[in-house]
Amino acid sequence: MAKSKEVTVEERLRALYDLQLIDSRIDEIRNVRGELPLEVRDLEDEVAGLHTRLEKLDASLETLDEEIKSKKNLIEEAKSLIKKYSEQQKNVRNNREYNSLTKEIEFQDLEIQLAEKHIKEFKVQIEQKKEVINQTKERSKERQAHLKHKKGELDAILAETEKEELALIKKSDEYKTLIEERLVTAYTRIRTNVKNGLAVVAVERGASGGSFFTIPPQVIMEIASRKKIITDEHSGRILVDEALALEQKEKMEKLFAKF
């Protein structure tokens, strides 16, 4: 049975740097989208919230209309009772009955006054709510227009980059299968812990990429020998020599041009 080819340290470093270049390109594509997806989501939530608010306001208007109808019915009933009691007063036989009917008439009159007061209050509330509804509708219209614009921007960017992003994600997954699991785990951990997502960097002008800390000449020579995987003691990033980085960048640029 044929033995599987042993992967050299240099091959691992090249694969890791290739993976970094692919993932960095994915990061660039996502940075182009920036905050747009979040903006669109927030706008969608805001529009939905305004719609819910309008529904509640409309429901409260209906409730107030019903309250006014109820009070108007109460007024009509009270007027009917006043008329009834007034007729009865004409046929009373003593002052006690007359006074009792007078109190009933006074009570119904108070009921009418209270109902009319409530109707006025309800009408004021209706006008206030109608004003809020108009303002909310204007706000909703403006936010929907803004949402449409932002969705258009996002759709345009997605149309330009989605195909490339999906192809790169697939390629990133493929490269991860070529690298031993412990290195992929280390690479992912470093990418998560650094702001720019750079887990593998080249040595530039005697320092690791993106760092101001100088690397000792002996360590630079070890990195250039490609005999072992060396990390930056300050950032934890995996280091590769500049020549290797340039070679892999040229290779990846050709790959990216195909997408």
Side-chain angles (χ1 to χ4, degrees):
M1 186 172 73
K3 292 182 179 179
S4 59
K5 181 186 173 183
E6 185 179 346
V7 180
T8 66
V9 172
E10 180 175 341
E11 288 171 332
R12 290 179 187 141
L13 288 168
R14 288 184 185 276
L16 279 167
Y17 196 69
D18 287 347
L19 178 61
Q20 178 66 74
L21 292 171
I22 292 167
D23 286 342
S24 291
R25 177 60 186 153
I26 294 170
D27 291 343
E28 286 175 23
I29 291 171
R30 289 173 177 170
N31 286 336
V32 169
R33 290 202 294 269
E35 298 295 318
L36 264 179
L38 288 175
E39 284 184 52
V40 168
R41 198 173 306 124
D42 287 344
L43 283 166
E44 286 174 337
D45 290 343
E46 186 178 355
V47 169
L50 289 168
H51 181 71
T52 300
R53 188 182 185 195
L54 282 170
E55 287 181 340
K56 289 181 178 179
L57 286 166
D58 286 337
S60 67
L61 278 183
E62 290 179 10
T63 300
L64 287 169
D65 283 336
E66 289 300 319
E67 289 286 354
I68 289 173
K69 287 178 184 177
S70 174
K71 295 303 178 185
K72 284 181 176 179
N73 288 335
L74 188 149
I75 290 171
E76 291 304 314
E77 289 173 8
K79 285 180 178 179
S80 177
L81 287 171
I82 288 172
K83 184 178 179 181
K84 173 186 171 184
Y85 296 145
S86 296
E87 288 296 323
Q88 288 178 356
Q89 277 183 326
K90 296 176 183 178
N91 301 312
V92 294
R93 290 172 292 186
N94 54 59
N95 287 337
R96 187 173 61 80
E97 289 182 13
Y98 186 87
N99 291 336
S100 177
L101 289 167
T102 299
K103 287 181 180 179
E104 287 294 340
I105 291 170
E106 289 174 351
F107 176 76
Q108 294 304 322
D109 188 53
L110 287 173
E111 286 284 282
I112 290 170
Q113 290 178 44
L114 184 60
E116 287 175 340
K117 179 187 175 184
H118 285 155
I119 287 172
K120 286 179 182 178
E121 291 173 350
F122 292 148
K123 285 182 176 179
V124 169
Q125 289 180 43
I126 286 172
E127 290 307 310
Q128 290 173 340
K129 287 185 184 294
K130 282 182 177 179
E131 181 63 26
V132 174
I133 285 171
N134 288 334
Q135 291 173 357
T136 305
K137 282 181 177 178
E138 282 298 313
R139 175 70 175 173
S140 180
K141 184 179 178 182
E142 183 266 325
R143 300 318 288 168
Q144 285 184 59
H146 193 45
L147 173 60
K148 184 178 179 182
H149 173 70
K150 287 295 181 181
K151 271 188 172 179
E153 284 185 17
L154 181 57
D155 289 343
I157 292 172
L158 286 173
E160 291 176 6
T161 61
E162 188 172 27
K163 182 180 177 182
E164 181 182 0
E165 183 182 0
L166 290 173
L168 286 167
I169 290 171
K170 183 179 179 182
K171 189 61 67 175
S172 174
D173 290 339
E174 287 176 7
Y175 268 77
K176 284 174 183 173
T177 63
L178 303 175
I179 305 166
E180 58 194 276
E181 189 176 343
R182 69 176 183 84
L183 285 177
V184 173
T185 301
Y187 166 84
T188 304
R189 185 184 68 252
I190 297 166
R191 248 178 76 78
T192 303
N193 291 334
V194 293
K195 288 182 180 179
N196 55 12
L198 294 177
V200 187
V201 295
V203 175
E204 299 171 357
R205 295 183 292 278
S208 69
S211 171
F212 297 103
F213 295 102
T214 303
I215 299 172
Q218 180 60 39
V219 177
I220 291 176
M221 289 179 64
E222 288 182 26
I223 293 167
S225 72
R226 306 170 189 172
K227 299 296 183 184
K228 64 178 180 178
I229 292 173
I230 298 172
T231 58
D232 177 30
E233 63 178 356
H234 299 290
S235 65
R237 293 183 173 101
I238 298 167
L239 301 172
V240 298
D241 62 279
E242 195 167 7
L244 182 148
L246 287 171
E247 290 169 11
Q248 299 313 115
K249 281 180 182 177
E250 287 179 8
K251 171 190 168 185
M252 283 296 136
E253 281 171 7
K254 292 176 183 176
L255 176 67
F256 297 158
K258 295 177 183 179
F259 295 142

